Amino acid sequence: MSRANITSALKPDLLRGHTAWITGGGTGLGRGMAERFGALGAKIALSGRREEPLAETAQAIRDAGGEAAFATCDVRDPAAVTAAFDALRGELGEIDILVNNAAGNFLSPSEKLSPNGFGSVVGIVLNGTFHCTLAAGQRWIETGTPGAILNIVTTYAWTGSAFVLPSACAKAGVLAMTRSLAVEWGKHGIRVNGIAPGPIPTEGAFSRLMPDPKLEERHKARIPAGRFGTREELAELAAYLVSPAAEWIRGEIVTFDGGEWLRGAGEFNDLLDLNIPWDQLRPPKK
Ligand code: HXC
Ligand code: NAP
């Protein structure tokens, strides 16, 4: 779906006067949010491990008339995170929005995981989110800056999921972090919310998690909306949630999955796949 097909509920300058730090902002959903936030007037601070996608995304935002800067860092390294945050603030001015989007994931039977494999994903998703949140939160509390944090989790943060154990554990932790800090930091004017997306095609996610087109089709078939989500749709929701228009939304995780997880949960939902002779099942009228 192209942007042209999306009906936006957002006013064109919704994020003017704000500066958003988007981790993992050089690719996939992060890039989608970065470009959309930039178009809505925000200054954009990007981070990730690789320079090339960050530089390319920053240039795309500038080419569209926006302002952007980037810094490389591995979110697992707290000192590198602080250095990146300081460098980005130095270049763009105070940051008041943080999107914890960077993540790592892969499919594996859990009994085949090594401690390093488990630690790598948990280190990126859970510890990394904490490191970025701490850098921004400490600064905002110290300077009395109201801020908004948006954590990108996924629907199996609630349910758990086979074959992605480290990611499921880490995303569940981020969900708890979202709700905990929404309360603890609320008095500082810091809002913390999240989005739990279902499958949205990106190179990073689909190359690792849907390595076979047949698998893709199976996933798509169980989405009541009949399709995958798009990064453009996600960016619309994200922009709303980080904007002042969502001031009273705190500690909320918005499910964004075309109905997928409920489709898997309802006892009788699989009847949708069967050709049930409903009229024959009805008792005859007395
Ligand atoms: C088992 C694996 C593995 C696999 C890596 N490891 N891939 N184990 N099966 N497929 C193990 C390695 O053997 C190693 O353990 C440990 O993990 C660290 O691997 P490295 O390659 O050294 O780690 P690193 O370079 O830090 O890379 C991290 C990564 C990688 C997570 C493994 O995939 C990555 O960089 N991902 C970033 C992007 C990403 O994953 N995007 C998708 C997000 S999608 P040993 O013991 O051998 O040393 C997402 C969507 C969810 O989250 C919802 C979808 C609906
Ligand atoms: P992606 O393109 O692979 O995005 C992951 C980003 O995180 C990359 O830009 C990557 O850049 C960065 N990153 C990874 N490890 C890092 C580290 N150690 N330090 C700093 N940055 C790191 O995948 P995506 O699909 O857009 O995923 C974005 C977010 O959406 C993730 O939180 C994911 O869990 C979530 N999500 C995605 C889907 C989906 O279907 N796409 C569904 C549910 C949730 P570098 O490699 O350059 O570091």
Side-chain angles (χ1 to χ4, degrees):
M1 186 185 287
S2 70
R3 250 220 69 70
N5 294 331
I6 288 182
T7 306
S8 181
L10 309 178
K11 62 176 183 156
D13 61 347
L14 182 71
L15 297 179
R16 192 156 308 285
H18 298 277
T19 302
W21 174 21
I22 302 173
T23 70
T27 65
L29 305 185
R31 178 168 179 163
M33 289 185 277
E35 292 193 26
R36 183 65 179 132
F37 289 14
L40 290 165
K43 292 195 255 180
I44 304 299
L46 303 162
S47 65
R49 289 169 300 179
R50 291 165 296 149
E51 182 167 334
E52 198 187 327
L54 297 173
E56 206 182 282
T57 304
Q59 195 52 49
I61 292 166
R62 290 186 202 113
D63 290 346
E67 202 174 327
F70 67 87
T72 55
C73 80
D74 189 319
V75 290
R76 289 170 286 194
D77 176 348
V81 166
T82 308
F85 179 61
D86 290 344
L88 291 166
R89 281 195 301 114
E91 213 168 318
L92 295 174
E94 287 299 339
I95 286 167
D96 62 348
I97 293 168
L98 164 63
V99 182
N100 282 306
N101 166 79
N105 205 351
F106 53 75
L107 287 175
S108 173
S110 298
E111 68 276 17
K112 292 190 189 301
L113 285 167
S114 66
N116 194 32
F118 185 84
S120 171
V121 171
V122 172
I124 298 168
V125 175
L126 182 55
N127 298 21
T129 296
F130 173 69
H131 297 149
C132 298
T133 300
L134 190 68
Q138 282 179 336
R139 174 81 190 163
W140 295 344
I141 291 168
E142 192 183 294
T143 57
T145 307
I149 298 174
L150 183 69
N151 295 327
I152 307 300
V153 293
T154 181
T155 47
Y156 60 66
W158 285 287
T159 60
S161 173
F163 305 118
V164 285
L165 182 73
S167 172
C169 293
K171 294 287 192 185
V174 174
L175 195 149
M177 199 188 308
T178 306
R179 291 174 172 158
S180 304
L181 290 177
V183 173
E184 190 177 339
W185 287 355
K187 66 177 183 221
H188 300 293
I190 298 173
R191 294 189 307 110
V192 192
N193 289 300
I195 299 177
I200 302 175
T202 66
E203 170 63 27
F206 273 44
S207 65
R208 290 177 173 90
L209 305 174
M210 309 247 187
D212 182 328
K214 281 199 217 110
L215 209 54
E216 254 188 59
E217 283 313 309
R218 278 185 74 118
H219 277 264
K220 199 187 285 179
R222 63 179 202 199
I223 302 175
R227 63 173 177 86
F228 292 130
T230 69
R231 63 187 81 191
E232 289 82 4
E233 289 170 298
L234 180 90
E236 292 294 302
L237 175 60
Y240 168 70
L241 287 172
V242 300
S243 80
E247 158 63 22
W248 223 48
I249 300 179
R250 312 254 176 149
E252 182 60 33
I253 314 279
V254 180
T255 303
F256 180 76
D257 72 343
E260 186 197 32
W261 91 265
L262 286 173
R263 168 68 177 84
E267 180 70 35
F268 295 101
N269 288 351
D270 280 351
L271 298 190
L272 282 165
D273 297 337
L274 304 174
N275 199 7
I276 310 280
W278 291 109
D279 289 341
Q280 292 172 31
L281 292 180
R282 234 181 133 134
K285 275 201 178 114
K286 287 187 184 139

